[in-house]
Amino acid sequence: MAFHHVRFPLDIALGARGGPERRTDVVTLAGGGEQRNGREQRNGRWAQSRRRYNAGYGVKSRADMQAVLAFFEERRGRLHGFLWRDGIDYSSGGKAPTPIDQAIGTGDGTRTGFQLTKTYGAAFDPYVRMIAKPVTGSVLVAVDGVEVTTGWSVDVTTGIVGFAEAPEEGAEVTAGFLFDVPVRFDTDRLDIEWSNFDAAEAPSIPLVEILP
């Protein structure tokens, strides 16, 4: 298997449905007296959320279905991963990134590599998500609130920002960016129904996020 650094057709992706999934075990207590009956114990089995999408909702025409068919065949079904644009969640802080959107680390005088991340929530229990597929040319970086335009680069296959010289100890490193989600097809079969000459119905084209 391999990862193909190519994006699923954007106009189809923006009409799709999907979002994050988590796995939680919920046990309803039945013993221990009346005070415990009906209470729950919950255990989160996944440390990271995993996104799932259905691209079938974005298929509006025969041309769309032909584009999906070609993309599916080139990926060999579930074999190879690819890039997916989440129409709701694709930016570090808003539609237009700024270099102070997300804190990605603190300098210690020797560290030169910083992983792009996006934080969801505030002080109560924030979730930090690794961003491995930033969009080429979209990444902005700042050190202690001052934008840095030279002396660093980003690997768009891993999301790691590398500095030529390590930021000073205690310096806050921040970044802004657009990003895609690494996914694969979650089926080896396309079940296509031709409804008329210029339209097709694709009940389900499931995709699942490839976690780092």
Side-chain angles (χ1 to χ4, degrees):
M1 65 180 182
F3 189 89
H4 295 174
H5 205 82
V6 59
R7 186 182 294 128
F8 187 89
L10 185 58
D11 54 342
I12 301 174
L14 294 180
R17 295 183 184 180
E21 173 189 32
R22 287 189 173 273
R23 188 65 55 85
T24 306
D25 290 330
V26 180
V27 177
T28 302
L29 302 177
E34 293 183 359
Q35 297 301 318
R36 294 182 61 84
N37 287 345
R39 291 188 178 182
E40 292 181 345
Q41 288 186 345
R42 295 180 297 277
N43 179 55
R45 294 174 60 187
W46 292 355
Q48 304 178 67
S49 59
R50 191 180 197 185
R51 279 142 180 84
R52 289 186 178 273
Y53 305 96
N54 188 341
Y57 290 101
V59 175
K60 304 302 182 185
S61 68
R62 176 186 292 263
D64 287 347
M65 195 65 248
Q66 289 173 333
V68 171
L69 178 62
F71 197 90
F72 177 87
E73 291 284 38
E74 191 172 9
R75 307 287 87 72
R76 309 300 195 269
R78 293 186 295 177
L79 185 60
H80 302 304
F82 54 92
L83 300 173
W84 170 265
R85 173 58 56 87
D86 186 318
I88 296 297
D89 190 7
Y90 62 90
S91 178
S92 54
K95 290 187 177 180
T98 76
I100 58 172
D101 285 346
Q102 299 289 328
I104 62 171
T106 302
D108 61 7
T110 60
R111 179 183 175 189
T112 58
F114 296 81
Q115 175 70 54
L116 291 179
T117 59
K118 182 174 180 178
T119 300
Y120 297 79
F124 182 72
D125 190 16
Y127 170 60
V128 180
R129 177 187 179 190
M130 181 185 299
I131 303 299
K133 306 298 181 187
V135 175
T136 300
S138 73
V139 180
L140 305 173
V141 172
V143 177
D144 277 343
V146 179
E147 184 173 6
V148 179
T149 58
T150 61
W152 63 271
S153 62
V154 61
D155 186 338
V156 296
T157 67
T158 64
I160 295 177
V161 175
F163 287 87
E165 295 185 7
E168 294 181 358
E169 184 173 359
E172 183 182 36
V173 181
T174 58
F177 44 85
L178 302 177
F179 63 94
D180 290 311
V181 183
V183 301
R184 61 166 173 81
F185 287 103
D186 200 24
T187 181
D188 280 322
R189 177 189 179 193
L190 289 184
D191 189 10
I192 305 167
E193 176 185 350
W194 299 105
S195 56
N196 59 55
F197 181 75
D198 193 41
E201 293 185 3
S204 180
I205 306 176
L207 311 174
V208 62
E209 182 177 8
I210 301 171
L211 293 178

